Structures are given as C-alpha cells and as structure tokens.
Amino acid sequence: MTFSARIAPPAGENSNQVPALTGYNLFLTDRTLVDAVKREGAIRVLEQITELGEILGRAEAQDWGVEANENPPVLHTYDRNGNRRDEVVFHPSWHCLMKTSIGHRLHSLPWLDSKKGAYVARAALMMITVQNEAGHTCPVSMTFSGLASLRTEPALAREWEPRILSSAYDSRFIPAPDKRGVLLGMGMTEKQGGSDVRANTTRAERIGSSREYLITGHKWFCSAPMCDAFLILAQSEKGLSCFLLPRWAPTGEKNKFFIQRLKDKMGNRSNASSEVEFDSAWAHMVGEEGRGVNTIIEMVNHTRLDCAVASAGLMHQALLQAVHFCRHRQAFGKLLIDQPLMRNVLADLVLESEAATLMVMRLAASFDARQSDEHERTFCRIATAFSKYWLCKRSPLVVGEALECLGGNGYVEDSGMPRIYREAPLYGIWEGSGNVICLDILRALAKDPGTVDAVVQELQSARGSDSGLDSFLEQTQTELTTCLKQGLNNGGGGAELQARRLAERLALALQASLVVRHSAAGFADAFIASRLKGDHGHAFGTLPAGLELSTLLESVTAPLRMSL
Ligand SMILES: Cc1cc2nc3c(=O)[nH]c(=O)nc-3n(C[C@H](O)[C@H](O)[C@H](O)COP(=O)(O)OP(=O)(O)OC[C@H]3O[C@@H](n4cnc5c(N)ncnc54)[C@H](O)[C@@H]3O)c2cc1C
C-alpha cells in the first residue's frame, strides 16, 4: 500500500480547517482606525484609504507579500565582464508592492497635503500596508522621512523634491534626473556602533570651496541599497555632518558606492539590507557642517513614528488572524472563540491592539499639529519616543500569543504568522533600540522643562472618570517631576537606571487616557483594571473576572462578519 497521493476528505466532511482570511477590507474592518481618521480631521482621505484597504485584502495582493518574501532580493556584485555592477534584483511581486504603496502616496501624503489630519491619514495607510507586507515599507518610510531633513538644504530640496513626491514608482537603475520617481535611504550605522553615531569614522573631504564632498568609509547597515540617494553621516572638518549621497554622480557615472554583501536576516526578507563601502563617493552636504545629528534627527523622528505605526499594524493583523481562526475552529465541541479561556486571551489581545492603534493615531495627530502649536510640538517630541519604545516592546509578545491561538497551524509558514513574528522585533532595533529611546526620553525632559506640562496637559482630559486612573496619573506626574530634578547626568544612577520604568508608565498613562476618551464602554474598565491597577498576570489571557469580554471581542468580530 502506498501513501503517495493525498486523499481528500469525502465531500461535506468537516475537516475543521480554517479558510484563509482573504477578500476583506483592511481599513473598514478596523473600526478604531476608521474612527480615528474621522476624529482627527482626515475625512477627505477616507476614500483613498478605503481603496487601499480593499486592494491589500485581495488574494492577489496577499500573494505579492508571500512571493516577495519567498524570493528574497539577490545582489549582483559584478557584471559578466567582471566590472562592478552593485545592483540588487527583486522579485516582480516586490515591485507590485512598491508601486501600490508609492501610488497611494505612503511616501508623500503630508508633504503634498498640509491640511489637518494628513499625518493621521498617512499613518492609517501605513498601518494597513504593513499588515499585508512590511518589508517593502522600509524604503517607503525612509523616502517619506528623508525629505524632512533634506529640506534643511533648500537648493538641494528644490532639485530632488519633485522626484521624491512623484506618485510614480520607477525601479530603473539610472541617474535620478532621468527617473519619474525616486527613493531615499539612510546610512548612519557603522561596524563600531549604531547607537553611538558620533563614533562614525567615515570621512568627508571637501571639493574646493563648494558644498560638494568626497566620502570614504563604510556603513555596516544600509537598507534598500537600490534607493536613488542616501542621507548619510560622515566626519568633515568641523565634525559629524549630514550628506546626500546619490547612487549616480552628477557626471552621469555610477557613484563610488559599493554594495559588499546583503545581510542574511531573521525576517524582513523581502527587503535588501546591505553593507556598503564608499571610495571617494560624491555627496552634497545637507544642513550645517558639524551638526549632522541635528540635521538627520527629523528623518529619524519620522521613521520612529513609522516604527510605532508598523508595530501597531503587526499587532492588529496578528489579532485579526487569531480571531478569524477561533471563529472557525472547533475544539471540545465548541468554536474556540466560545471557549471561556480563549475569550480571555483574545479579549486581552483586543485591548492591546486597541490601545496601540489609539496611541499611534494620537501621535500622528501631534505631528500634524506641531507646526502651529507649541504644546503639540513638545508633546510630539516625547510621545514619539515613549510610544515607539512601548509598542515595539509589546508587538513581539502580542504576535507570539496570537500565533499560539492558531495552534500548530500558526507555526507553519502558510498561516502567515511566522512572517509577522519574525518582523515584529525589528522595529524595536531600528531608529534607536529600547534603551537608547528611553535615554532620549530623559534628554527630552532635560532639554525642555515644558515637556512635563505638555504631558500633564495631555493626560488632564481623562481625569475624573476613574479613581484608579487618577492615582496612576498622579504618580506619573510625580515620577516625571522627580526625574526632571535628578537630571540626566546624575552619575549613572537615578533617572537613567529607571528610564524604562518611566517610559512604560508614560505609555500606559497615555494609552489609558485615550481608551477612556475614545473606546467603547467596557474597554476602559478592562484596561485600567489590568494595566494600571495590576489585576493581571504576566501573560495575556489573565484579565480578571467580571469584565465585559463580549464587548471587546465584538469590536473585532462584528466588522469581520460584515466584511467577509
Ligand atoms: C534589518 C536591519 C536594517 C537596518 N537598516 C539600517 C539602515 O538602513 N541604515 C542605518 O543607518 N542603520 C540600519 N540598521 C542599523 C540599526 O539602526 C542599528 O542596528 C541600531 O541603531 C543599533 O545599533 P547597533 O546595532 O550598532 O547596536 P549598539 O549600538 O552596539 O547597541 C547594542 C545594545 O546596547 C544598547 N545601548 C546602546 N547604548 C546604550 C546606553 N548608553 N545605555 C544602555 N544601553 C545602551 C542598545 O539599546 C542595544 O540594545 C539596520 C538594522 C537592522 C537589524
């Protein structure tokens, strides 16, 4: 007897296997996200986000994500004659993903539309896009963020901006002036360290008396090396400075930008991350000489926003997959979603995703408002840091728990969960890993004493609704003030030692205040009881008795039911 053929179950037999979650709208099925976009003044972009949500939920677009990750990019160091080629070739599905994102202005929306809510709308676009495929959002995010720093060099910005803001994706490896649209990357991290960029050794030598330089050195991490230009840091005469280094020199020849190898990464496999060397590569200075960190920090802040948004997106997608699975899978005579203990796990994950979404939408709104509102500018500075820290910390845990809801199927690639699981820890490393971000919170406090007021004012509006929340907010204010008194340079103890505690507390306080203000009844009780009052275990699924779990679960299942 042979077993070579797979025997299909007889027609009508229930295999208890779960249909793929496909053919749904990634935007419309997320009520919290839709409400936030409306509340924050981005109704004019609803149609566009809805359209993208529909495209990304199609089986065809889901296949792009699978194929782009199963067929990772390939580096061609040399051509057939042994000449340097330095070109990375991608699977066609990568290009479909890029074309869709650039076409929907994920890289440009707030730069083209300065009205209220543009950052929020773009964050919503980003949040649904990472749920389909996250790897390709790396160059999209860097292109979006890079313009923030490039604008400090107006002449250069004037030349590059029209190409950057174009909604055409042009993947040809040709000089930027000949292209319909271009992408930007970033090169800060060197072998000796990424957090401490002031230790960079790459050198910049000025050409005559111009703002043009020749760059010699390396970058240990340089993602998306097929971008058309990179904002990099290098040491010039007056110290660490920022430069725009294009793949092609103004002479029309390839710049001396050599891709040494691609990193073999745990996840994020659709995206190429490389090690590069510069050998007298042409570059143009951006911003003030010797103030490179100051110049590139706006790019960094925008990418930190995206790290937070992406983390919230991954959490939401993992939750959707878990809820969808449990709505279809039976065990011990019941659907999993009706098993009391599974309801506790899922409801706990719903709470986490809800709070994460509210948090990134509030953060995006502060990016919108900070141009004209000093309070928002100060709030945005510190909230970017603690939101990025907290959501990047929560996302791998949430994804891991959601994966387990699918049992063995969740551990198998076909389910899509392993790809999300491998992606999740990356955002905690990019653009400042956990500790570095927490130290940045202290820096924000030390630099601008108005920061405490900005945070307190933000949280004020939620006071009075729950005594537990009130006392948590009170303690948060006390810790902030103590931290401010201790100062950053206090001999390595005090504030620095406790910085993660402070970051966590600030994040929970903001999340609680947002849940109180914006979530349906039942959410606030559950969040405050478990996250603030400590009536919660160390794993998910440990919500206390007496909460309205149905309300929480219904917030996710109802839109899914209507959409599928
Ligand atoms: C897939 C991928 C793609 C990347 N793409 C790019 C890119 O395109 N461009 C780019 O420039 N970089 C890129 N990076 C690099 C990334 O930004 C760095 O890895 C990150 O900034 C951390 O730097 P590092 O790896 O040198 O770690 P280190 O700086 O050596 O830090 C190691 C650990 O020490 C901690 N630490 C550092 N200082 C302190 C301190 N004072 N107190 C307490 N703890 C501290 C950090 O939080 C971290 O956990 C990429 C990384 C990855 C994984």
Side-chain angles (χ1 to χ4, degrees):
M1 189 168 161
T2 62
F3 292 93
S4 57
R6 179 175 281 192
I7 312 294
E13 185 180 302
N14 178 10
S15 68
N16 201 21
Q17 289 286 7
V18 173
L21 177 54
T22 193
Y24 70 111
N25 189 311
L26 271 92
F27 179 54
L28 296 183
T29 46
D30 188 344
R31 279 188 186 163
T32 309
L33 191 61
V34 174
D35 288 349
V37 168
K38 289 181 183 166
R39 186 174 60 242
E40 302 294 351
I43 290 180
R44 66 188 178 285
V45 199
L46 268 185
E47 204 176 310
Q48 189 197 330
I49 314 174
T50 306
E51 180 194 283
L52 184 63
E54 194 272 322
I55 292 172
L56 297 176
R58 290 181 199 157
E60 183 196 16
Q62 291 173 331
D63 288 346
W64 295 338
V66 173
E67 286 160 5
N69 282 276
E70 282 181 356
N71 302 279
V74 175
L75 170 63
H76 294 268
T77 314
Y78 297 97
D79 68 11
R80 57 188 288 171
N81 298 322
N83 302 310
R84 288 298 297 215
R85 181 172 162 196
D86 295 289
E87 193 172 351
V88 179
V89 174
F90 293 85
H91 188 270
S93 287
W94 165 271
H95 297 299
C96 293
L97 292 163
M98 289 298 296
K99 191 175 170 196
T100 305
S101 288
I102 298 292
H104 283 84
R105 302 187 293 164
L106 242 84
H107 67 302
S108 62
L109 186 62
W111 304 123
L112 294 169
D113 172 355
S114 56
K115 290 202 275 297
K116 184 175 185 297
Y119 271 92
V120 170
R122 184 203 166 261
L125 290 169
M126 186 54 123
M127 187 152 159
I128 58 176
T129 299
V130 295
Q131 294 184 57
N132 172 261
E133 206 286 320
H136 82 284
T137 63
C138 168
V140 173
S141 171
M142 291 194 292
T143 303
F144 163 65
S145 310
L147 190 53
S149 292
L150 195 58
R151 280 189 172 173
T152 55
E153 191 72 20
L156 211 53
R158 263 196 304 280
E159 181 195 338
W160 280 82
E161 204 161 315
R163 300 172 200 146
I164 293 169
L165 297 183
S166 160
S167 294
Y169 168 62
D170 188 341
S171 65
R172 291 174 298 162
F173 185 34
I174 56 174
D178 302 334
K179 294 185 70 166
R180 286 175 286 121
V182 299
L183 301 171
L184 295 182
M186 171 195 263
M188 297 198 296
T189 308
E190 297 187 1
K191 281 181 190 150
Q192 66 279 6
S195 308
D196 186 5
V197 290
R198 288 180 198 277
N200 272 194
T201 57
T202 295
R203 296 186 325 276
E205 278 172 48
R206 197 169 181 183
I207 306 173
S209 58
S210 67
R211 291 195 40 91
E212 298 175 25
Y213 284 75
L214 293 177
I215 309 289
T216 301
H218 82 282
K219 293 294 162 185
W220 182 235
F221 277 95
C222 179
S223 283
M226 292 310 288
C227 285
D228 298 277
F230 297 80
L231 280 151
I232 66 138
L233 294 178
Q235 303 285 356
S236 65
E237 211 170 289
K238 291 187 185 165
L240 197 62
S241 306
C242 181
F243 299 88
L244 184 77
L245 191 156
R247 285 295 313 267
W248 294 76
T251 53
E253 290 165 348
K254 272 196 281 175
N255 209 354
K256 308 279 187 207
F257 174 108
F258 301 115
I259 307 175
Q260 299 300 82
R261 82 179 152 161
L262 297 188
K263 302 280 194 189
D264 182 6
K265 295 176 289 182
M266 176 170 104
N268 192 254
R269 298 185 73 84
S270 64
N271 180 31
S273 297
S274 65
E275 296 162 18
V276 296
E277 288 199 9
F278 313 128
D279 182 10
S280 297
W282 183 93
H284 194 291
M285 187 174 276
V286 179
E288 199 180 328
E289 185 176 1
R291 308 257 307 152
V293 174
N294 242 41
T295 304
I296 211 163
I297 201 72
E298 264 305 282
M299 180 176 194
V300 170
N301 282 334
H302 280 74
T303 40
R304 283 180 180 171
L305 165 67
D306 278 358
C307 288
V309 172
S311 297
L314 293 183
M315 282 191 256
H316 189 72
Q317 179 60 206
L319 168 70
L320 278 188
Q321 294 291 345
V323 167
H324 174 74
F325 187 89
C326 293
R327 284 181 62 228
H328 290 86
R329 179 85 163 180
Q330 295 200 12
F332 300 97
K334 268 189 196 172
L335 284 173
L336 284 172
I337 201 158
D338 294 328
Q339 296 285 5
L341 188 50
M342 184 58 97
R343 291 176 74 74
N344 196 326
V345 173
L346 292 174
D348 219 355
L349 297 179
V350 170
L351 260 189
E352 206 63 35
S353 174
E354 170 87 0
T357 303
L358 291 174
M359 186 176 222
V360 289
M361 290 299 117
R362 174 65 187 96
L363 180 61
S366 74
F367 270 81
D368 268 319
R370 70 185 184 146
Q371 309 300 342
S372 55
D373 184 326
E374 187 58 21
H375 159 75
E376 287 290 324
R377 195 189 59 71
T378 313
F379 174 73
C380 180
R381 165 80 176 85
I382 190 164
T384 303
F386 69 69
S387 305
K388 194 254 184 204
Y389 169 74
W390 185 239
L391 298 180
C392 293
K393 281 277 164 269
R394 299 303 276 177
S395 155
L397 303 178
V398 167
V399 174
E401 192 66 59
L403 184 153
E404 192 180 313
C405 293
L406 278 70
N409 287 326
Y411 200 72
V412 174
E413 288 290 336
D414 287 346
S415 71
M417 297 302 279
R419 174 145 65 90
I420 305 176
Y421 190 67
R422 287 191 298 265
E423 186 78 16
L426 180 54
Y427 299 94
I429 296 167
W430 264 344
E431 303 305 341
S433 31
N435 290 350
V436 171
I437 294 288
C438 291
L439 296 178
D440 191 51
I441 293 172
L442 299 186
R443 210 166 296 120
L445 283 168
K447 212 169 168 189
D448 184 353
T451 304
V452 176
D453 284 345
V455 174
V456 170
Q457 196 180 317
E458 169 69 22
L459 302 177
Q460 197 66 28
S461 47
R463 276 184 198 264
S465 58
D466 183 287
S467 59
L469 172 62
D470 286 353
S471 67
F472 191 87
L473 297 181
E474 203 75 51
Q475 285 164 22
T476 306
Q477 189 171 344
T478 309
E479 286 204 17
L480 266 175
T481 317
T482 311
C483 189
L484 194 62
K485 279 192 200 135
Q486 282 177 333
L488 183 56
N489 301 315
N490 59 354
E496 199 165 323
L497 198 67
Q498 301 294 312
R500 279 192 180 222
R501 284 174 63 98
L502 179 69
E504 190 167 320
R505 181 168 269 284
L506 286 168
L508 287 173
L510 178 62
Q511 287 190 324
S513 79
L514 292 167
V515 169
V516 164
R517 281 180 278 167
H518 305 305
S519 299
F523 276 83
D525 290 346
F527 194 92
I528 292 168
S530 57
R531 271 69 173 169
L532 302 195
K533 290 183 180 165
D535 198 355
H536 198 238
H538 293 286
F540 292 110
T542 52
L543 291 172
L547 297 171
E548 287 179 45
L549 300 191
S550 318
T551 318
L552 273 62
L553 291 172
E554 204 41 28
S555 72
V556 179
T557 54
L560 271 183
R561 252 198 320 272
M562 282 163 63
S563 173
L564 288 168

